[in-house]
Amino acid sequence: MRSLALVVSYVLHPLWVPLFLFLLLWSVDPWLRLQPAMMLYVTAILVINAVAPAISIYALHRRGALSDLEASQRSERTIPFIVVMFYQMLGYYALTRPGVFLPSEVLALVLAMIGSLAIAMVLTRWIKVSMHLLAQGGALGALWSFNMLHDLGLGGSLPIGFAVAGLVGWSRMRLGVHTPRELALGFLLGFAVVRSLIERGGGL
């Protein structure tokens, strides 16, 4: 069962979830399909935002700055947070440069990812917030909001998102890296921040 937990944790790693989420939204949302070239541009940025932090975190581990690739020690988590946020902010800059025109909901999604990560980084001073469940909660919050705003008819499929989040939560507990409280906090934080900002259009 531990091997299954490892597979779930790596396949649904928080660095990959935003990319998977966006590809899913692109496939089901006719509003996004109206701009295929721009959506490819966003996809490329999300790929970079997944691969570049992964390489950076691996380099930090090789240099001894992190005891493991999961940054399972709470005292070591600030640097990975900053690394991921740095690439996300670069991505947000690339999406807001002159000549790039995206739906406000898409920009709000990227901004919400940065915001939820920043809040989690602050909370890490007191509790080890689960990044896996932060990503799962954010993804479900995004699906919920896009479904409501664009009338996608996904209401019957949303419970699947909760089931996937539960599977990821089980994998993190099975690996012994998080408690139920840390998992719940991550999920609720991601869901609340992402849903709130998307439904407000991120103020954009």
Side-chain angles (χ1 to χ4, degrees):
M1 296 299 285
R2 181 177 173 82
S3 59
L4 175 60
L6 282 170
V7 170
V8 171
S9 289
Y10 281 113
V11 171
L12 296 175
H13 193 278
L15 289 177
W16 294 112
V17 169
L19 175 61
F20 295 157
L21 167 67
F22 183 74
L23 292 175
L24 175 60
L25 286 172
W26 188 6
S27 69
V28 300
D29 193 332
W31 294 87
L32 298 185
R33 291 202 298 270
L34 291 174
Q35 304 181 66
M38 197 59 68
M39 295 306 103
L40 282 173
Y41 178 67
V42 176
T43 300
I45 289 174
L46 290 176
V47 169
I48 294 171
N49 277 354
V51 174
I55 294 173
S56 297
I57 290 171
Y58 177 75
L60 287 170
H61 172 59
R62 289 292 299 238
R63 290 175 176 269
L66 300 175
S67 57
D68 57 57
L69 292 174
E70 295 283 344
S72 56
Q73 300 298 318
R74 183 163 59 88
S75 59
E76 298 178 351
R77 291 167 75 84
T78 299
I79 293 177
F81 273 122
I82 293 173
V83 168
V84 175
M85 285 181 62
F86 170 74
Y87 287 109
Q88 288 185 343
M89 291 175 70
L90 286 181
Y92 185 77
Y93 171 77
L95 293 174
T96 55
R97 65 184 180 84
V100 178
F101 303 100
L102 288 175
S104 60
E105 295 93 331
V106 175
L107 287 176
L109 172 59
V110 178
L111 187 62
M113 291 190 298
I114 298 172
S116 60
L117 194 61
I119 295 172
M121 182 173 67
V122 173
L123 291 176
T124 295
R125 295 184 61 184
W126 300 280
I127 184 172
K128 191 174 70 172
V129 180
S130 170
M131 292 299 97
H132 278 74
L133 267 291
L134 183 79
Q136 292 297 318
L140 189 57
L143 287 172
W144 192 299
S145 297
F146 273 82
N147 179 60
M148 183 185 68
L149 294 171
H150 296 175
D151 193 22
L152 302 179
L154 298 177
S157 302
L158 290 176
I160 298 175
F162 286 100
V164 171
L167 177 62
V168 174
W170 165 82
S171 74
R172 305 309 287 164
M173 287 193 293
R174 181 66 180 82
L175 295 173
V177 292
H178 282 295
T179 66
R181 184 176 69 158
E182 294 165 350
L183 295 166
L185 178 59
F187 182 86
L188 293 174
L189 175 61
F191 183 86
V193 171
V194 172
R195 185 179 173 189
S196 175
L197 286 182
I198 291 178
E199 292 180 11
R200 294 185 180 201
L204 302 171

